[in-house]
Amino acid sequence: SAASDVYKRQGLSKLAKQHPRQAETFQMRYFLGFKNKEIANLQSVSESLIDKDLKFSKNWILNLQTA
């Protein structure tokens, strides 16, 4: 939904200030549509790190919304 996208973008902006790699990963996955393997290749990191970054980012943004 539009409201959910606004929350994601606001959360992403705050996340980027404290955790830039995780924010970039979140943006590449959810706003640009990259697959985890593609992100891992572009960032020269493992796919498991991408999985961890995405989980961290989603939880971080959700916690920000409920705070």
Side-chain angles (χ1 to χ4, degrees):
S1 75
S4 141
D5 279 351
V6 168
Y7 284 124
K8 282 182 193 168
R9 289 185 192 278
Q10 289 173 345
L12 185 61
S13 175
K14 292 178 182 180
L15 177 66
K17 291 176 185 167
Q18 294 179 30
H19 306 282
R21 188 192 72 235
Q22 290 85 352
E24 179 183 43
T25 300
F26 186 91
Q27 182 174 24
M28 292 175 80
R29 178 72 177 108
Y30 295 107
F31 291 111
L32 301 176
F34 285 91
K35 304 249 184 292
N36 290 9
K37 185 173 186 173
E38 295 171 316
I39 299 168
N41 288 334
L42 288 168
Q43 292 185 355
S44 300
V45 299
S46 68
E47 263 188 89
S48 65
L49 182 59
I50 297 303
D51 292 337
K52 290 174 190 170
D53 282 354
L54 290 171
K55 185 175 183 177
F56 172 86
S57 299
K58 285 190 278 187
N59 287 331
W60 197 93
I61 291 170
L62 283 173
N63 286 336
L64 189 66
Q65 290 177 20
T66 59

